[in-house]
Amino acid sequence: MDNYQQYPEYKGSQIEWVGNIPSNWDVKPVFALFSPLTQKNFDGKITTVLSLSYGNIIERDVEKNFGLLPESFNTYQIVEPGDIILRLTDLQNDKRSLRVGIAKQKGIITSAYLKLAANTLIEPRYAYRLLHSYDTTKVFYGMGGGLRQSMKFEDFRRLPILLPPLDEQLQIANFLDHETAKIDTLIEKQQQLIKLLKEKRQAVISHAVTKGLNPETPMKESGVEWLGKVPEHWKVTPLAGVADVVDPNPSHRNPKYTVDGFPFISTVEFTEIDNVETNTPRRVAEETVLEQEKRCNFQEGSIAFSRKGTIGAVRVLPHGIRFALLDSVCVINCGETVLYEFLYQQCRSSLFESQLGAETRGAALKQVSVGRVRTVKTFIPPLEEQKEILAYLTKVLSKLDKTVELANKQVNYLTERRTAIISAAVTGKIDVRNSQKPEVSKEEVA
């Protein structure tokens, strides 16, 4: 923030997480600046369904039926442009989601969210940026109560709101709209680069584990329509012919949760490119772990394969620690004719996804049976050739992964800068009143 000036004079805000504020700013509680009154969509006339997603209020395509939908939208609350929406549930269990958004169109949204309509003392865009800053600096997470650590307006009404003069609020909002748009453009470019690199990575893996490294080798028909030919000397077999595929929880009983237990791993814990997060928020008792250990015979190189939701998400499971798996993940243990590293790469290639994708069932949650995973066609070269392919992939993928890592670091840096500049502007740590940015009036915004 060295490029920006500070205000000439400050005073104490009496707010622990804010510190000093400009001397001409005020502090007022939420109830003095916002109305929590809601209007339900009783007659069902408004059909534009909105959703809070990653800090943005977006229109939801109910025709695609993604996720849970109510029988009727008549209980949803009506939202006007400029209304601020907050999701104030699971405050301690979920500290990653962005919980604040501002509506840009009229629609309806679930009544489980808190809607705040700004009065004439506060500019909605400034209020949104301030509450977004409260969110990203984890102000909300020490608040709330009940089983789901939730807040209603009664719990929220006395939250202190920093209140610059109205013309300064507009200047801050305009400045942040301009600056965050520039940062968002840079982030989008890096994310597009990451996407292209991951697509290239996938293509390199798929070609190596289905075609081999020698373009001169004799080929034969694979029997998989999109794949075409594979090396003639490779063994063609169902997955069950080279590996055991086990359902960790065939009875589908709910696991026994406990506070100080063992990690409970699902696809949510499939992080980054090849990692599994073991510091999980959900923990299970040893009883659940023992049941799965008896069934799955976890070993070095055991592979977890998702058969629900994101079909084909795959990771090598951690070795040397005890854990339990969600029943939407099956376990693959390799036999003697295939290296687990090779089968892992083949599992994560388009080979498995393409065979299972057309057969998934269920509109809201796609899934395949463990039995169907066992029948997926695999192509297995001799062990020595598997080692050659793995050595090649290690060399090529390491270069791609380093580039992805650099791009991710850039995204993280830009995201942190975005968060910092918003926080600094809405708390008066920097003075943006003289920033040469495009002027936007309230009428133009409306």
Side-chain angles (χ1 to χ4, degrees):
M1 300 301 137
D2 295 340
N3 296 333
Y4 299 99
Q5 294 182 340
Q6 292 187 326
Y7 279 79
E9 190 175 344
Y10 286 85
K11 65 181 180 182
S13 68
Q14 310 306 312
I15 306 171
E16 181 181 354
W17 66 83
V18 172
N20 293 333
I21 59 174
S23 58
N24 64 326
W25 288 24
D26 201 356
V27 178
K28 290 186 179 295
V30 163
F31 70 79
L33 302 169
F34 301 95
S35 168
L37 299 179
T38 61
Q39 180 184 356
K40 298 292 178 66
N41 187 41
F42 289 127
D43 55 12
K45 287 184 178 179
I46 299 178
T47 58
T48 302
V49 180
L50 304 177
S51 177
L52 177 60
S53 176
Y54 300 103
N56 294 306
I57 307 295
I58 60 173
E59 188 171 343
R60 188 173 182 182
D61 186 353
V62 295
E63 297 299 323
K64 290 186 177 179
N65 193 29
F66 180 75
L68 298 176
L69 293 175
E71 292 183 7
S72 167
F73 291 105
N74 291 8
T75 60
Y76 272 38
Q77 58 184 324
I78 297 174
V79 173
E80 300 286 350
D83 284 348
I84 296 170
I85 304 298
L86 300 100
R87 183 175 71 84
L88 299 175
T89 57
D90 293 321
L91 289 170
Q92 292 187 357
N93 292 332
D94 176 11
K95 296 187 179 182
R96 293 182 291 185
S97 298
L98 295 176
R99 299 177 171 273
V100 183
I102 185 168
K104 296 181 180 178
Q105 62 178 325
K106 185 169 184 175
I108 53 175
I109 201 165
T110 173
S111 297
Y113 294 165
L114 175 63
K115 184 191 83 169
L116 298 178
N119 64 23
T120 57
L121 296 177
I122 191 164
E123 158 62 33
R125 290 181 301 131
Y126 165 78
Y128 158 66
R129 297 293 188 183
L130 178 65
L131 290 170
H132 169 82
S133 177
Y134 283 7
D135 181 23
T136 56
T137 53
K138 313 302 182 196
V139 170
F140 300 146
Y141 295 112
M143 306 169 70
L147 184 63
R148 295 189 64 188
Q149 283 296 312
S150 305
M151 280 195 291
K152 297 181 179 179
F153 184 76
E154 290 74 20
D155 309 303
F156 196 72
R157 65 194 303 270
R158 295 193 180 277
L159 183 76
I161 299 295
L162 308 184
L163 195 67
L166 193 56
D167 62 335
E168 280 188 46
Q169 295 177 36
L170 281 165
Q171 289 171 317
I172 292 170
N174 294 341
F175 167 80
L176 289 176
D177 285 351
H178 184 268
E179 292 299 310
T180 57
K182 290 195 300 184
I183 295 173
D184 289 344
T185 298
L186 295 173
I187 290 174
E188 176 64 23
K189 288 181 178 178
Q190 291 298 315
Q191 288 174 334
Q192 285 297 321
L193 174 62
I194 292 168
K195 180 182 178 183
L196 290 172
L197 289 167
K198 287 184 175 180
E199 288 174 355
K200 182 175 181 180
R201 189 182 199 278
Q202 187 73 3
V204 167
I205 292 171
S206 293
H207 188 275
V209 299
T210 59
K211 304 293 184 182
L213 304 179
N214 182 5
E216 304 299 325
T217 191
M219 306 291 277
K220 64 183 176 184
E221 291 297 332
S222 67
V224 177
E225 183 178 352
W226 68 269
L227 181 58
K229 296 182 177 182
V230 296
E232 191 175 63
H233 63 288
W234 286 21
K235 180 181 178 181
V236 182
T237 175
L239 178 60
V242 292
D244 291 327
V245 184
V246 185
D247 184 347
N249 185 18
S251 61
H252 303 292
R253 289 183 298 175
N254 290 326
K256 186 175 180 181
Y257 292 105
T258 183
V259 176
D260 298 317
F262 297 89
F264 187 59
I265 296 173
S266 70
T267 52
V268 174
E269 281 71 49
F270 290 7
T271 58
E272 300 177 15
I273 293 176
D274 288 309
N275 292 337
V276 177
E277 175 59 62
T278 56
N279 185 22
T280 63
R282 292 178 296 178
R283 318 293 285 190
V284 292
E286 187 174 23
E287 170 188 326
T288 301
V289 174
L290 282 170
E291 280 185 24
Q292 291 197 1
E293 286 176 341
K294 290 176 183 177
R295 283 194 54 79
C296 298
N297 187 29
F298 294 115
Q299 58 193 37
E300 183 177 4
S302 289
I303 298 169
F305 187 92
S306 172
R307 58 183 190 82
K308 290 184 183 178
T310 307
I311 304 296
V314 61
R315 291 291 187 276
V316 175
L317 287 165
H319 184 60
I321 69 165
R322 301 180 72 192
F323 57 86
L325 285 170
L326 191 67
D327 64 6
S328 62
V329 176
C330 58
V331 178
I332 302 171
N333 287 324
C334 295
E336 295 180 355
T337 60
V338 61
L339 301 172
Y340 78 82
E341 298 96 334
F342 180 85
L343 188 60
Y344 171 63
Q345 296 295 0
Q346 201 165 78
C347 285
R348 66 204 306 262
S349 73
S350 49
L351 176 63
F352 278 42
E353 180 186 354
S354 64
Q355 293 183 70
L356 295 173
E359 302 178 30
T360 56
R361 64 182 185 275
L365 181 65
K366 297 182 183 299
Q367 57 184 303
V368 294
S369 67
V370 176
R372 178 63 187 95
V373 176
R374 292 185 180 117
T375 66
V376 170
K377 190 174 291 188
T378 61
F379 304 90
I380 309 299
L383 284 171
E384 283 304 313
E385 192 172 350
Q386 292 178 40
K387 293 176 183 178
E388 291 173 6
I389 291 170
L390 289 169
Y392 165 80
L393 287 175
T394 298
K395 181 179 178 180
V396 175
L397 298 183
S398 65
K399 294 178 181 178
L400 289 173
D401 292 347
K402 285 178 182 177
T403 309
V404 169
E405 183 181 356
L406 289 173
N408 275 322
K409 284 182 178 179
Q410 185 68 5
V411 169
N412 291 338
Y413 166 76
L414 290 167
T415 302
E416 290 171 2
R417 177 168 176 77
R418 189 184 193 278
T419 299
I421 202 168
I422 292 172
S423 177
V426 297
T427 59
K429 301 300 184 287
I430 58 175
D431 184 352
V432 302
R433 291 175 295 179
N434 295 321
S435 297
Q436 299 300 310
K437 308 300 175 193
E439 294 295 329
V440 182
S441 68
K442 283 191 103 171
E443 291 74 19
E444 288 174 319
V445 172

